[in-house]
Amino acid sequence: MEKSALQIARAAYQPKLPAGLRGNVSIKEGEPTQSVGDQEEIKKLFPNTYGMPLVEFVPTNEKKEYAPMNIGIILSGGQAPGGHNVICGLYDELKKQNPANKLYGFLMGPGGLVDHKYIELTDAIIDDYRNTGGFDMIGSGRTKLEEEDQFESGLKIIRELGIKAVVIIGGDDSNTNACVLAEYYAAHNCGVQVIGCPKTIDGDLKNDQIETSFGFDTACKTYAEVIGNIQRDANSARKYWHFIKLMGRSASHIALECALQCQPNVCIISEEVEAKNQTLDDIVTYIAEIVAKRAANGNNFGTVLIPEGLIEFIPAMKKLIAELNDLLATPEAATVAAAEQRAWILGKLSKENAAIYDSLPEGVAKQLTMERDPHGNVQVSLIETEKLLSEMVGNKLAAWKKEGKFVGKFSAQHHFFGYEGRCAAPSNYDADYCYALGTSAAQLVANGKTGYMAIVKNTTAPAEQWVAGGVPITMMMNMERRNGKMKPVIKKALVRLDGAPFKKFAEHRAEWAEKTCFVYPGPIQYWGPSEVCDQCTATLKLEQGK
Ligand code: FBP
């Protein structure tokens, strides 16, 4: 593989490990745990993996002998910077424990386990991917592991390769499925352990035990760099409003973090829109008022950050999407020709939802009916909210112009940042965090754990003070309605309006809206002073009161 000079130099970076994972490691177990909600139901569904204690890895002088073992690893769902370092950390720890240990990578996501597609990971492969972004070492996929025949098919190859444990690197849904798999193998005495790892750029897999999901840090820094560049361009030419949609699926963590880093004129937070029961028109009016106010001061430019999941948080749109989901799941829906779909939908929707659907521009209406992902989610990355909002803001300003309420110019540019950041080379934070997660996963396996997720805490401190361990996945679960059925799931973390990151944003947004307070964060730095290279996100610092 041809490499850039930066890639070659970066490959030599040795991720920093917490003191508890550096030398000989012993395991400290806490008290039995409970799920965060619906304890009785979760306990009944996971009789073999419920109630296990939290564990922590601590240094010891005792040298342990490790029997040889083989492990399988799977990357699941959307790419996130640092995934390769989880694999490298796991691999290095495995080889350290016993050089005879083997690591198998299942290809293209959970489907690789079911379809028996795998490679053995070797020194040469691992060395090629150290500290690199992307999931291309083994590929990723969104196959849901939830059916018994999938578990049984996986078991066949697990037995054939003599695999003791499978490590699944994924988001909330994939880790929920990892726990279901762990329970299944435990209930059937298969002797196979399953361990999860918290991944997603979206930042919504976090709770009292998981400080942050890996990849959030690098993805946000990558977007913040480009938003900063756009802001400088906007401030130089002073003629465009930039409408920037940011990935994050449901939660607005990425948009909020980028707002804290860049101080744009507007940032919409979906969770606030829902809490205040705002309409699409409320949001459009809010943005248009800021545009008009800045225009009155001669500033016909600015930036607007929009979380990609916004549309689903506008209460009226949420109702429309729910009805569309049911409608599109009917057998009749599959028989309707594309050209007739809009009319067919309008004829079937309730009066209230039909009126909203009818008011949407053709493009967005079409995007709302596109195929759902395997977890039943609307593919929000395909909905062009940035264009919808700028078009509606433009229409409102045109109407205000006629009334003399708007005196400036409004010209919009559109951007969507998502895929640009998901495979960025991990920041030092993500490189270290992921390597420590992989090392923890290997320790969890070596200590016979199953149904656990690897965790690393205290990550706002220097890396040697980080605390590594594991959390029982059932501890993070509650029951939620999914596709019409109540299911055990890991609770998704949305932006908390009473949390310190949102409060800081809310305190400053009026000033950022009217004045030009742009910050230009610049590119991720890998070498240099620690205050430049080793910082975590503003979100994490504020959440921890730092
Ligand atoms: P995960 O939740 O699997 O980590 O994926 C996150 C994400 O990047 C979202 O931000 C985005 O909405 C979605 O994936 C896009 O999915 P796809 O890669 O299938 O287009």
Side-chain angles (χ1 to χ4, degrees), residues 77-78 142 199-202 247-249 308 380-381 419 422:
R142 291 198 183 276
K199 168 235 71 166
T200 178
I201 60 160
D202 299 350
M247 254 192 187
R249 206 189 287 279
E308 72 170 355
V380 281
S381 62
Y419 300 100
R422 294 202 311 187

Side-chain angles (χ1 to χ4, degrees), residues 52 55 57 71-74 86 90 164-170 174-175 177-179 181-183 185 192-198 437-455 469-473:
M52 302 179 298
V55 300
F57 299 119
I71 293 188
I73 186 132
I74 297 173
V86 178
L90 175 60
K164 175 179 161 70
V166 179
V167 176
I168 300 179
I169 302 176
S174 306
N175 275 287
N177 293 342
C179 195
L181 188 64
E183 177 64 33
Y185 287 156
V192 180
Q193 299 157 239
V194 184
I195 299 295
C197 256
L437 284 172
T439 312
S440 291
Q443 280 294 346
L444 287 168
V445 175
N447 283 280
K449 300 294 174 196
T450 190
Y452 274 77
M453 203 189 292
I455 50 170
V471 54
I473 300 178

Side-chain angles (χ1 to χ4, degrees), residues 35 83 108 168 183 219 245 248 268 289 398 432 449 475 508 516 522 533:
S35 61
M108 302 311 293
I168 300 179
E183 177 64 33
K245 183 175 83 164
I268 307 293
E289 277 170 354
D432 296 347
K449 300 294 174 196
M475 186 184 177
H508 293 281
T516 302
C533 302

Side-chain angles (χ1 to χ4, degrees), residues 167-240:
V167 176
I168 300 179
I169 302 176
D172 51 343
D173 286 331
S174 306
N175 275 287
T176 297
N177 293 342
C179 195
V180 174
L181 188 64
E183 177 64 33
Y184 181 88
Y185 287 156
H188 292 79
N189 288 317
C190 302
V192 180
Q193 299 157 239
V194 184
I195 299 295
C197 256
K199 168 235 71 166
T200 178
I201 60 160
D202 299 350
D204 56 5
L205 176 50
K206 65 176 170 184
N207 49 45
D208 290 346
Q209 304 306 325
I210 302 170
E211 290 190 349
T212 184
S213 53
F214 79 73
F216 176 67
D217 181 81
T218 310
C220 288
K221 283 175 178 155
T222 307
Y223 305 140
E225 177 201 349
V226 189
I227 294 166
N229 294 349
I230 286 174
Q231 293 192 147
R232 205 148 218 165
D233 195 288
N235 199 17
S236 305
R238 308 199 170 193
K239 60 177 183 179
Y240 292 129

